[in-house]
C-alpha cells in the first residue's frame, strides 16, 4: 500500500485577492459612546406612557401659566347676568358644538336654552369652560386652580428631597440608639392622620395655602425617609464606603458623595410617585371645606363648589375633574417610565 506523500503546499500571489475594492485599506470604525443622560432619554422615549405623561404635564404647566392671561377675565370677577352659562368656544360654535346652548330638564320635558342670545352683549361673550353660579369664568378659575396643584407638587418634591431623604440617610447610617429614636418619632408622626394635622393648623393659623403646605411638610416625607433608610442600611457596609472611611472621609462626605449618587435614582422615582398623593391630599382637603378659602380657587375647591350643580349644569365640574385626573395620571406614567429607564432590570423581574 502506497504511503501518502507529505509534500509542502506551494502558494503564489494569484491565490489571494482583496475583499472589496482593489488596494483599499480597511479602517476600524469607532462608535461614540452615548452619555448617561442620552441613554436615559432614549429609554424614556421608548416608553409611550412616560412620553404621554411628560407631554401632558408640559401642556398643563403651559396652560396654568398662560391660560388666565388669554381668557380676558379675572378668577374672582363676578359678571352680572352671566351666571350658569354653558361653554362657548370660537370656531367650534360654527359646527354646532360648544355654542353656548344647554338642555335643561323641566316638569314638561326638555328645554334648550342659550343665555348668550338673551343677555346684552352676549353675541361677543365667550366662556370656553362656561361660568359658575356666581358668573365667574371657569376657564380662568380652572387654570388658576391648577397653579395651586402644581405648587403642591413642587412642595412635595422639596419636602421629600430635603427632609425625607436626609432624615432617612442619617437614621440608617448611624444606626443603634440614633436610629431607634428617629424611627420611633416617625411612627408617632405617621400615626396622626393628615386631616387632624390640618385641622389643628387651621385652629392656630388661618385656613389657606400655608396650612396645607405645613401639613405636607410635617408628614409628607415619611415614605421617602423609609426608602432612603433602607437603601443606606444596604450600602453603608460596601467596599467603597469602607475605603472612603479608611481614607479619612467624614460622615457627611460619605453619605452625600459616596452613597447618595448610588441611590439617587431610586429616591427620584419615589419623589415622583409622591406627587400625585400630595395633589390628591390638597384636593381632598379642599373638597371637605378646609382647603383654599374663597375666592381663591384650587382644583379641589372647584370640584367641591360645582358638585352641587352636577345634576343641573354638569359642565361646571368636568374641567377641574379632567385636569386633576390628567395631572395625577401623567405624573404616575412619568414616574413609571423613569423607574424603567433608571433600572432596566426591573422589566426582567
Amino acid at each position: 500500500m502506497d504511503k501518502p506523500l507529505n509534500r509542502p503546499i506551494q502558494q503564489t500571489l494569484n491565490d489571494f485577492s482583496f475583499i472589496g475594492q482593489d488596494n483599499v485599506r480597511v479602517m476600524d470604525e469607532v462608535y461614540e459612546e452615548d452619555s448617561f443622560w442620552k441613554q436615559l432619554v432614549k429609554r424614556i422615549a421608548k416608553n409611550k406612557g412616560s412620553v404621554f405623561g411628560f407631554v401632558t404635564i408640559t401642556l398643563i404647566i403651559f396652560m396654568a401659566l398662560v391660560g388666565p392671561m388669554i381668557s380676558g377675565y379675572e378668577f374672582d370677577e363676578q359678571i352680572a347676568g352671566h351666571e350658569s352659562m354653558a361653554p362657548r368656544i370660537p370656531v367650534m360654535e360654527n359646527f354646532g358644538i360648544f355654542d353656548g346652548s344647554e338642555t335643561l330638564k323641566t316638569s314638561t320635558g326638555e328645554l334648550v336654552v342659550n343665555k348668550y342670545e338673551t343677555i346684552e352683549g352676549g353675541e361677543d361673550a365667550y366662556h370656553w369652560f362656561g361660568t359658575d353660579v356666581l358668573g365667574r369664568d371657569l376657564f380662568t378659575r380652572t387654570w388658576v386652580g391648577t397653579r395651586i396643584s402644581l405648587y403642591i407638587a413642587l412642595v412635595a418634591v422639596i419636602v421629600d428631597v430635603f427632609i425625607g431623604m436626609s432624615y432617612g440617610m442619617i437614621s440608617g447610617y448611624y444606626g443603634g440608639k440614633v436610629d431607634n429614636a428617629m424611627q420611633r418619632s416617625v411612627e408617632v408622626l405617621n400615626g396622626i392622620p393628615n386631616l387632624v394635622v390640618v385641622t389643628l393648623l387651621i385652629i392656630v393659623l388661618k385656613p389657606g395655602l400655608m396650612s396645607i403646605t405645613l401639613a405636607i411638610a410635617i408628614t409628607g416625607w415619611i415614605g421617602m425617609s423609609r426608602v432612603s433608610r433602607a437603601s443606606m442600611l444596604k450600602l453603608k457596609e460596601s467596599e467603597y464606603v469602607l475605603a472612603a472611611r479608611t481614607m479619612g472621609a467624614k460622615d457627611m462626605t460619605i453619605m452625600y458623595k459616596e452613597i447618595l449618587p448610588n441611590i439617587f435614582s431610586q429616591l427620584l422615582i419615589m419623589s415622583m410617585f409622591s406627587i400625585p398623593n400630595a395633589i390628591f391630599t390638597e384636593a381632598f382637603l379642599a373638597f371637605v371645606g378646609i382647603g383654599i378659602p374663597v375666592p381663591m380657587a384650587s382644583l379641589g375647591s372647584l370640584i367641591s363648589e360645582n358638585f352641587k350643580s352636577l345634576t343641573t349644569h354638569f359642565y361646571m365640574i368636568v374641567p377641574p375633574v379632567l385636569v386633576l385626573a390628567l395631572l395625577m395620571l401623567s405624573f404616575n406614567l412619568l414616574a413609571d417610565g423613569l423607574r424603567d429607564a433608571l433600572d432596566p432590570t426591573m422589566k426582567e423581574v
Side-chain angles (χ1 to χ4, degrees):
M1 185 173 181
D2 297 337
K3 295 181 179 180
L5 298 177
N6 296 326
R7 296 178 180 178
I9 299 176
Q10 296 181 356
Q11 297 177 339
T12 62
L13 294 176
N14 296 328
D15 295 332
F16 300 92
S17 61
F18 286 103
I19 297 177
Q21 299 179 0
D22 295 337
N23 301 325
V24 175
R25 181 177 297 177
V26 179
M27 300 294 294
D28 292 337
E29 193 170 352
V30 179
Y31 295 93
E32 183 180 359
E33 183 180 0
D34 291 336
S35 64
F36 169 77
W37 295 108
K38 288 184 178 180
Q39 295 178 7
L40 178 64
V41 171
K42 288 181 179 179
R43 294 195 192 109
I44 294 177
K46 292 181 181 178
N47 190 320
K48 296 181 180 179
S50 62
V51 173
F52 172 80
F54 177 77
V55 173
T56 304
I57 292 172
T58 303
L59 291 176
I60 290 177
I61 293 175
F62 175 78
M63 290 303 301
L65 296 175
V66 180
M69 302 177 185
I70 64 177
S71 64
Y73 302 98
E74 298 294 333
F75 73 93
D76 57 349
E77 181 181 0
Q78 299 182 19
I79 307 174
H82 287 216
E83 295 84 0
S84 303
M85 298 184 69
R88 185 186 182 193
I89 303 177
V91 180
M92 298 190 69
E93 62 178 345
N94 299 328
F95 298 94
I97 55 176
F98 297 111
D99 56 356
S101 61
E102 61 176 325
T103 303
L104 301 178
K105 294 183 179 179
T106 62
S107 58
T108 58
E110 295 182 350
L111 178 64
V112 178
V113 178
N114 192 330
K115 289 188 177 181
Y116 293 90
E117 298 176 353
T118 60
I119 62 175
E120 183 179 356
E123 62 276 2
D124 297 326
Y126 289 94
H127 298 284
W128 292 4
F129 289 170
T131 60
D132 59 9
V133 294
L134 298 177
R136 296 174 295 191
D137 184 68
L138 287 176
F139 182 85
T140 305
R141 291 180 64 78
T142 297
W143 296 121
V144 169
T146 305
R147 293 179 180 180
I148 302 298
S149 297
L150 294 174
Y151 166 78
I152 294 298
L154 180 62
V155 169
V157 173
I158 293 175
V159 167
D160 278 347
V161 171
F162 288 99
I163 300 180
M165 182 186 68
S166 299
Y167 191 95
M169 291 178 62
I170 294 173
S171 177
Y173 182 81
Y174 289 104
K177 295 181 179 179
V178 175
D179 181 44
N180 188 35
M182 295 179 72
Q183 292 307 305
R184 300 296 81 76
S185 300
V186 168
E187 291 175 1
V188 172
L189 286 176
N190 194 37
I192 304 175
N194 288 337
L195 187 60
V196 176
V197 174
V198 176
T199 304
L200 294 176
L201 288 174
I202 290 176
I203 296 175
V204 179
L205 303 174
K206 294 181 179 180
L209 196 58
M210 182 58 66
S211 301
I212 298 176
T213 302
L214 290 177
I216 295 176
I218 290 174
T219 59
W221 51 269
I222 294 177
M224 173 65 77
S225 69
R226 290 175 174 173
V227 173
S228 60
R229 174 181 176 271
S231 301
M232 177 62 72
L233 291 174
K234 180 180 178 181
L235 297 178
K236 72 176 184 178
E237 299 298 335
S238 301
E239 290 81 0
Y240 65 90
V241 176
L242 296 176
R245 189 179 292 112
T246 303
M247 296 296 292
K250 297 181 179 180
D251 293 340
M252 290 299 172
T253 302
I254 294 175
M255 282 190 289
Y256 289 96
K257 289 188 176 181
E258 300 294 338
I259 298 178
L260 180 59
N262 293 281
I263 64 176
F264 183 74
S265 60
Q266 184 179 4
L267 300 182
L268 176 63
I269 295 168
M270 182 67 185
S271 64
M272 291 295 295
F273 277 115
S274 67
I275 290 176
N277 185 33
I279 294 175
F280 179 77
T281 299
E282 184 278 327
F284 169 75
L285 295 175
F287 184 80
V288 298
I290 56 177
I292 305 298
V294 294
M296 192 62 186
S298 71
L299 294 179
S301 63
L302 288 175
I303 295 173
S304 177
E305 292 173 3
N306 300 325
F307 180 76
K308 303 172 185 177
S309 304
L310 179 62
T311 56
T312 55
H313 307 285
F314 73 94
Y315 59 85
M316 294 183 184
I317 200 175
V318 172
V321 168
L322 285 180
V323 174
L324 179 62
L326 283 175
L327 196 59
M328 295 179 62
L329 175 63
S330 299
F331 274 113
N332 275 318
L333 291 176
L334 182 59
D336 187 68
L338 283 174
R339 180 183 59 189
D340 295 339
L342 293 172
D343 190 7
T345 59
M346 288 291 295
K347 294 183 177 180
E348 302 176 1
V349 177

